[in-house]
Amino acid sequence: MEQTPSTTGKTTIAPEVLLTIARLNTLSVPGVARLSSAPADVNQIFSKNPQEGVKISVDHGVVYADIYVVLAKDVNVREVGRAIQQKVSRAISEMLGMEVGKINVHVEDIDYSVEA
């Protein structure tokens, strides 16, 4: 009986991957006009790539996100917020196989110049 050698290693995921997945999935939800600026802490003020609209943290393999959005007028805020949560959570789970904790959606403004 021959044994095939198994190669083991590890896969690392850059934080930018999580941010990109969250941003693109959020923007694809009908009723989202754009991302808003996320509040910055001191470390982010001086970083080259501020986290536009999304803050992600990973604690013991569980992903947590805060997403800051501007919605179009005449949309149901609750429905759009839930759609964002579901879409981002599903994308992270399916694409990366990571467990998702909370996806907090912060509606920062309503854009009356954009049609829903």
Side-chain angles (χ1 to χ4, degrees), residues 2-115:
E2 274 187 47
Q3 287 186 348
T4 20
S6 65
T7 56
T8 57
K10 72 177 189 178
T11 302
T12 57
I13 299 167
E16 290 77 19
V17 173
L18 288 165
L19 291 170
T20 299
I21 290 170
R23 281 188 194 118
L24 292 177
N25 281 280
T26 298
L27 291 170
S28 71
V29 172
V32 175
R34 64 183 179 276
L35 294 172
S36 179
S37 298
D41 61 25
V42 174
N43 295 329
Q44 293 170 341
I45 291 172
F46 298 107
S47 73
K48 288 180 7 184
N49 297 322
Q51 298 177 357
E52 295 176 13
V54 179
K55 285 186 172 185
I56 298 272
S57 64
V58 179
D59 187 26
H60 300 292
V62 180
V63 178
Y64 298 92
D66 284 285
I67 301 173
Y68 300 83
V69 294
V70 176
L71 300 183
K73 66 177 182 175
D74 299 329
V75 298
N76 184 311
V77 174
R78 182 179 294 210
E79 286 177 12
V80 174
R82 285 188 180 152
I84 292 168
Q85 290 170 324
Q86 291 171 350
K87 192 158 192 172
V88 171
S89 177
R90 183 175 179 180
I92 290 171
S93 295
E94 289 180 0
M95 293 177 73
L96 303 176
M98 296 179 78
E99 184 180 341
V100 178
K102 292 183 180 179
I103 305 291
N104 298 311
V105 177
H106 306 272
V107 178
E108 297 293 306
D109 203 358
I110 303 294
D111 188 345
Y112 283 92
S113 66
V114 174
E115 292 298 320

